[in-house]
Structures are given as structure tokens and as C-alpha cells.
Amino acid sequence: MKKSLLILGIIALCFSCKQKEEKIIKAPELSIAQKIANAHGFERWNKVSEVQFKFAGNRLWNWNPKTDAVKLTTNTDTISYNRTSMDSIATKADRAFINDKFWLLIPFQLVWDTSASISEPIEATAPIAKTQMNKITITYAKEGGYTPGDAYDIYFDKDFIIKEWVFRKGNAEAPSLINTFENYQDFNGLKIALDHTKDDGTPIVKLSDVVITLE
């Protein structure tokens, strides 16, 4: 009887170990987009209740990502709308919102923009820093969205932090814009680059008044 119980115990232990082994094997590998997003704080995104930021000193945005309510404040006007139901005025404002949010949260857009294709990472020389970095290319579909067919070559370091990008309008071979991602700051766990400089050293976009509100 004792021998039978011992055999059953060994079998149960082996079965338990096998289950644990299978769980480890089945753990999904994070995609390159998820790794970049997580490096910038994406795992905290589900706690974000409001995003505020000012684009280039003249467009102040307040966005509730859970309800998709958006408010744009400029020196001359204030427009409030919800992205689930837009008229012509809201659509015009939303084009600017999508552009400005892309600069703010490009690491997260890599995960959100599921209709776009993302290449496998390769090693490449960053066009501004002239150092070896990792590079992926995100290419948008030729139809749909506000900027169909555009492509971005994104350069990131070993810690998956974005350092530069090359924007190619309509997926053209020649760059339309090359700029840095600089002055990273932490906003309640979200790492956001506030400054962007062109390859000739000219500042191009500055983000300010950033407030990330958590639940």
C-alpha cells in the first residue's frame, strides 16, 4: 500500500512539474512594438484618466482616453467634441489632435495602430547621432486615416527608448523629415520626449504643459 502511494505521489509530482513547464513554454513573447511601448510606460496606460499637453506652444489638448472626449484650446477658440461622434468642425480639429498625439505618444501608437505593418528590427546607423541603433519601420495602409500610406523609420536604443525617426510621406524612399526625440521626462510612469530637433539642428516641435492624470 505504501509503495502504491509512493508511486502515485511521484506521478503527481511529475505531472505538476510538466504543467509548470508547459506554462513557461506557452508564455507569449512580447512583440517589438510592445517592448518599445512598455519601455515608455505603456503598462500604466490603463490607469490614465486624462491627458493634457500643449503642442508647439499654441494648441492645448485635454483628452479623456476612456470616453474619447477631447477639448482643444487655442488663443482664439475652444472646441470640445467626442471622437465617437464628430461633425465637420470636430473632424478638422481631430486631424490636428491625431497629429499632435502621434508626436506625444508614438511608442503607444505602435501598439494601438493595428492596421499598420511593423517590420522586424534590424541594426542601422541613426541618421542624426551617426551611431548604431535598432530600427523598425511602421507603414500605414494606403487607404483610411488622415495620412494614408505614410511610413516612419524609428530608431531606438538597447533599452527600447526611441531616439530618432525618419518620416517618409506616402512611403517615399526619400525622407520628408528627420528629427530627434530628446528631453525625456517621467509623467506618472509615462516617459515622454518633450523636444524634437531636425537633422540640421533646428528645433521643430516642443511639447509642454504635459499632465498625465491617473485614476
Side-chain angles (χ1 to χ4, degrees):
M1 185 65 170
K2 290 182 178 179
K3 186 175 182 180
S4 298
L5 289 174
L6 179 61
I7 293 173
L8 287 173
I10 293 172
I11 292 173
L13 179 62
C14 291
F15 182 72
S16 175
C17 292
K18 185 177 180 182
Q19 279 189 318
K20 289 180 180 179
E21 183 180 352
E22 286 178 351
K23 287 181 181 178
I24 294 173
I25 292 172
K26 291 180 180 178
E29 173 68 20
L30 292 178
S31 68
I32 190 64
Q34 290 170 319
K35 289 179 181 179
I36 294 172
N38 287 352
H40 293 79
F42 187 65
E43 291 169 302
R44 293 182 62 81
W45 180 255
N46 62 348
K47 298 181 181 297
V48 175
S49 61
E50 185 175 7
V51 175
Q52 174 185 289
F53 69 101
K54 183 175 284 187
F55 182 85
N58 56 21
R59 290 197 293 259
L60 178 66
W61 296 100
N62 291 86
W63 172 42
N64 184 324
K66 297 187 182 300
T67 65
D68 243 352
V70 179
K71 182 172 77 171
L72 166 62
T73 305
T74 68
N75 293 332
T76 59
D77 207 357
T78 298
I79 300 173
S80 296
Y81 65 97
N82 194 290
R83 301 196 67 243
T84 61
S85 178
M86 298 190 297
D87 56 20
S88 59
I89 295 175
T91 299
K92 183 177 180 180
D94 197 58
R95 293 179 70 94
F97 172 68
I98 293 300
N99 174 81
D100 299 357
K101 178 170 68 73
F102 197 83
W103 283 89
L104 182 80
L105 298 175
I106 174 59
F108 300 172
Q109 296 292 157
L110 296 176
V111 174
W112 291 334
D113 295 342
T114 56
S115 62
S117 63
I118 298 177
S119 69
E120 290 295 319
I122 61 172
E123 287 191 4
T125 302
I128 297 178
K130 306 300 183 187
T131 58
Q132 286 295 106
M133 294 189 191
N134 300 299
K135 170 190 168 185
I136 58 170
T137 298
I138 179 169
T139 307
Y140 286 86
K142 293 182 179 180
E143 296 181 0
Y146 293 131
T147 55
D150 290 346
Y152 295 81
D153 302 318
I154 296 174
Y155 295 82
F156 56 97
D157 64 17
K158 61 181 177 61
D159 296 320
F160 299 98
I161 299 298
I162 295 175
K163 295 298 185 180
E164 300 179 15
W165 77 11
V166 175
F167 165 57
R168 294 182 289 111
K169 186 174 179 58
N171 199 15
E173 185 175 345
S176 304
L177 176 67
I178 304 173
N179 62 263
T180 62
F181 281 66
E182 302 175 73
N183 189 18
Y184 272 95
Q185 295 189 23
D186 189 298
F187 299 92
N188 273 329
L190 274 63
K191 295 181 178 64
I192 297 174
L194 300 182
D195 298 333
H196 303 277
T197 303
K198 292 172 64 175
D199 51 339
D200 63 2
T202 304
I204 180 172
V205 167
K206 184 173 181 62
L207 301 169
S208 62
D209 296 13
V210 177
V211 179
I212 303 296
T213 304
L214 304 183
E215 293 178 334

